[in-house]
Amino acid sequence: MPTYHIITIGCQMNISDSERLASRLEQAGFKKTDNKYGADLVIINTCGVRQSAENRIYGLIPGIKKENRKAKIILTGCLSERKDVRRRLKKYVDAWLPVKEILNFKFKILNYQRRGNDNFGNQDYLSIQPKHDSNFSAYVPIGNGCDNFCVYCVVPYARGREVYRSAQEILAEVRGLVKRGYKEVVLIAQNVNSYKSPIPPSPPLSRGGDFADLLKTINDIPGDFWIRFLSSHPKDMSDKLIKAVASCEKACPQIYLPVQAGDNLVLKRMNRQYTRADYIKLVKKIRKQLNLPSSPFIKGVIWKPPVSITTDIIVGFPSETRKQFNNSVKLFRQVGFDMAYISEYSPRPGTAAFKLVDNVSPAEKTRRKNQLDKILRQTALANNKKYIGKTVRVLMENQTKVGKWFGKTATGKDIRFSAKSSICRAGNFVKVKVTGAKEFCLAGKV
Ligand code: SAM
Ligand code: SF4
C-alpha cells in the first residue's frame, strides 16, 4: 500500500482541509505515515497569508526531495495557484492541487492506481467526510472563501469568493460527531458570521438561515458538547447573533473578533468597514449580554467565567504613523483582550496593498508588536486572575506527566491541573478548582 504524509502550515481552515485530504487519500488506497522521509506521497498544505509562512516551504520542499528522492510531492493550499511559486518550485513539485480540486484529483498522473469511487461530479470538497486528528474535538467548516477584500489580505484570491455549506450537511456532520462521542465542535470559516444558507432554509433551520439560526439549530442537537466558532468579522456581529450566543447553553463564551487596527484612518484604508468606536461599542455589548449571571451555564458550583475576547491585529501597515499606532495601543488597553495574534504587516502579491510602499521599517514593526504584546500580557493576566478560587468546567485534552493534565475552559483558556487517574481521559469534562493564573495559562486541581 503506498503511503502519504501531510504537512500543514497555517490556519484552522488548512488543518481542516488536510483532514479532508487525508480521508480522500485513504479512500484512494493510501496509508498514513508519520515519516516524511519515508512516504511515497508528501503533501504540503501551504499558507500565503504572510511572507514568513510562505518562506517555510522554500527550505522544506527541497529538503524533503533531497532526503526522500522517490517521494512524489504535491503542493496544495493558498500558494498552489501562485505562478511565481510554481516557477520557483517546479523542479521539486510533482503536482499542484488547488484545495477545491481535492475531490477530483487524478492520482493516475502520479502513476498511482486509484481505488474507490472516482465519480464525484460537481460535489464540493467540503462534503468529504474528514479523518479527524482528535477523537473528541473536531473542526467543522461551514464555508470557504471571502468577499471582503481587506486590502492586505490574500484570502479572497487564494480561496475565492464565499461559498457556504447547506445547514443540512453541517448538521449531519455535527450529529455524526456527537454520536461518535465528540465533545467539542469548532465551526470555522474565514468569517463564520457572514454565513448564509445557500438554499432556502427549511426545518430544522426554519428561521432566516443566517449564522445565529445555524448556531441555535446546532445547539438543539441533543448531547453534552461545546460549540466554538471562529472567526467573527466585527461588521457582521449582529445583535441577533450576540443574543443567540447568550441563549445557547452549548455555545462557548469565547469571541474571536479580529480588529486589525485601532485607528479610523488605517481601518478605512484597510477596507475593514467599521470604526474604532463601532468595535469598542460591540465589545461592550458582547460583555453586557454574555456575562449575564442568569445564564444556563451555571450548574451547581460551576462558575460561569466572563466572555473572553481574542483578536488579530496588524502593526506597520503602509504609512501607519506612530500616532495612528498609538490608537491601537489605546484600544488594547481599553478592551483588555484575553488573547491576540499580533502580525507585522507583510506585503502579499496580488493584493491591493501590495502596490503601497511598505515604509514602516522591520525594526519599527517589531517594536510595535512588542509594545502590544506587553499590554496583552498585562490584560490577559488581569483577566485570568479573576479565575483564582473558582471552579470551572474543563475539557480534558492530554496528559503532560503522571497525574498532570492539560485542558481548556469554555472561554478557551489553557489550564494545567492535577487529577486522579480514575476520571482521566482525553475528551472528559471535569470540574477544576483554579489555584493559579499566568498570562496564557491557568493552574488547578480536579
Ligand atoms: N477573516 C478574518 C478577519 O476578518 O480578520 C481573518 C482571517 S486572515 C486569513 C488571518 C489573519 O492574518 C488576519 O486577521 C490578519 O491579522 C493576518 N493577516 C492577513 N494578511 C496579512 C498581511 N498581509 N500581513 C500581516 N498579517 C496579515
Ligand atoms: Fe482576509 Fe478581510 Fe476576508 Fe478576513 S475579512 S479573510 S482579513 S479579506
Side-chain angles (χ1 to χ4, degrees):
M1 213 183 228
T3 55
Y4 74 91
H5 180 88
I6 304 179
I7 298 169
T8 308
I9 299 169
C11 64
Q12 292 80 4
M13 209 58 208
N14 271 17
I15 297 173
S16 171
D17 287 346
S18 289
E19 292 182 341
R20 283 175 153 72
L21 187 57
S23 150
R24 176 75 192 90
L25 285 160
E26 297 199 2
Q27 185 258 344
F30 290 85
K31 196 171 153 246
K32 183 179 168 180
T33 168
D34 291 334
N35 179 9
K36 59 179 177 284
Y37 299 125
D40 297 301
L41 210 57
V42 180
I43 299 104
I44 327 285
N45 193 354
T46 58
C47 170
V49 168
R50 278 172 289 264
Q51 188 65 41
S52 51
E54 181 179 327
N55 287 347
R56 284 180 59 191
I57 64 170
Y58 297 131
L60 182 71
I61 294 177
I64 295 170
K65 203 71 184 176
K66 191 171 157 215
E67 296 291 324
N68 183 0
R69 284 178 177 277
K70 71 170 180 50
K72 296 275 198 285
I73 296 201
I74 299 184
L75 191 145
T76 186
C78 279
L79 297 171
S80 60
E81 290 180 281
R82 274 252 312 269
K83 287 198 180 78
D84 56 326
V85 175
R86 286 190 175 204
R87 268 197 304 277
R88 185 164 173 181
L89 291 174
K90 70 173 184 242
K91 70 173 183 198
Y92 306 105
V93 173
D94 297 275
W96 307 88
L97 175 58
V99 170
K100 287 179 195 145
E101 288 164 32
I102 290 177
L103 207 47
N104 289 308
F105 183 68
K106 302 274 178 272
F107 290 95
K108 262 188 285 204
I109 64 167
L110 298 174
N111 297 329
Y112 285 109
Q113 206 52 44
R114 299 186 60 202
R115 278 210 329 229
N117 179 14
D118 61 353
N119 183 15
F120 295 98
N122 290 330
Q123 221 176 306
D124 188 84
Y125 86 97
L126 289 178
S127 65
I128 301 174
Q129 271 302 311
K131 181 178 184 282
H132 293 293
D133 285 337
S134 156
N135 56 10
F136 61 89
S137 172
Y139 288 124
V140 177
I142 63 167
N144 189 21
C146 183
D147 292 348
N148 288 320
F149 290 93
C150 303
V151 294
Y152 51 80
C153 183
V154 81
V155 168
Y157 309 95
R159 287 192 170 266
R161 297 303 97 79
E162 286 170 22
V163 181
Y164 291 105
R165 299 173 75 192
S166 72
Q168 276 69 13
E169 199 178 280
I170 298 167
L171 290 168
E173 190 167 326
V174 176
R175 276 196 209 101
L177 288 164
V178 174
K179 219 169 163 184
R180 277 156 43 218
Y182 277 74
K183 293 294 166 54
E184 178 179 80
V185 291
V186 187
L187 307 174
I188 54 169
Q190 294 306 329
N191 300 298
V192 270
N193 54 346
S194 323
Y195 178 83
K196 282 172 229 73
S197 171
I199 50 173
S202 57
L205 189 77
S206 53
R207 297 152 250 202
D210 60 14
F211 184 64
D213 298 326
L214 182 69
L215 191 66
K216 285 191 237 168
T217 315
I218 295 175
N219 188 68
D220 289 342
I221 295 174
D224 187 12
F225 65 99
W226 278 350
I227 310 167
R228 298 189 196 275
F229 54 92
L230 57 128
S231 57
S232 298
H233 196 299
K235 79 172 167 53
D236 296 318
M237 198 71 198
S238 64
D239 289 356
K240 180 181 168 187
L241 176 54
I242 300 171
K243 278 203 186 89
V245 181
S247 70
C248 292
E249 75 279 8
K250 290 168 187 152
C252 289
Q254 178 189 21
I255 305 291
Y256 190 158
L257 198 66
V259 66
Q260 310 300 3
D263 179 83
N264 282 341
L265 195 65
V266 177
L267 284 170
K268 195 162 184 210
R269 291 174 55 234
M270 285 177 162
N271 188 28
R272 286 296 289 180
Q273 303 171 57
Y274 52 85
T275 63
R276 166 202 175 82
D278 294 336
Y279 187 89
I280 290 171
K281 201 168 141 200
L282 188 55
V283 170
K284 281 190 184 148
K285 214 186 298 179
I286 290 169
R287 289 205 165 123
K288 193 166 168 212
Q289 300 215 24
L290 297 192
N291 290 349
L292 289 179
S294 59
S295 162
F297 226 90
I298 302 181
K299 278 183 194 150
V301 293
I302 293 182
W303 179 64
K304 182 197 176 252
V307 58
S308 73
I309 311 238
T310 298
T311 202
D312 286 354
I313 193 159
I314 296 176
V315 295
F317 183 72
S319 302
E320 183 191 57
T321 62
R322 288 252 176 141
K323 204 169 159 203
Q324 288 167 337
F325 168 69
N326 279 338
N327 283 329
S328 292
V329 173
K330 280 187 212 144
L331 181 114
F332 257 51
R333 289 216 178 92
Q334 208 167 342
V335 172
F337 290 109
D338 292 85
M339 178 50 85
Y341 298 94
I342 309 163
S343 305
E344 296 177 18
Y345 170 72
S346 167
R348 299 288 65 216
T351 61
F354 194 64
K355 297 184 201 99
L356 306 173
V357 187
D358 180 20
N359 53 2
V360 180
S361 72
E364 177 61 14
K365 282 180 187 167
T366 307
R367 196 194 68 77
R368 291 181 190 183
K369 184 177 175 175
N370 291 343
Q371 195 175 340
L372 290 186
D373 185 65
K374 203 169 157 194
I375 301 167
L376 170 68
R377 285 174 183 278
Q378 290 162 359
T379 58
L381 181 62
N383 292 345
N384 283 358
K385 278 187 174 167
K386 293 179 192 146
Y387 284 66
I388 296 177
K390 309 283 197 318
T391 299
V392 287
R393 199 170 195 224
V394 169
L395 181 59
M396 295 179 106
E397 290 193 353
N398 57 37
Q399 194 163 18
T400 52
K401 48 187 166 160
V402 179
K404 292 277 177 197
W405 278 79
F406 173 81
K408 270 202 175 58
T409 65
T411 44
K413 308 267 180 193
D414 288 342
I415 180 161
R416 282 170 210 283
F417 53 96
S418 49
K420 282 200 203 109
S421 61
S422 57
I423 47 141
C424 293
R425 199 164 65 88
N428 272 4
F429 283 118
V430 282
K431 291 179 201 167
V432 179
K433 178 151 187 194
V434 181
T435 53
K438 288 189 180 165
E439 290 108 332
F440 304 121
C441 196
L442 302 170
K445 202 175 161 191
V446 167

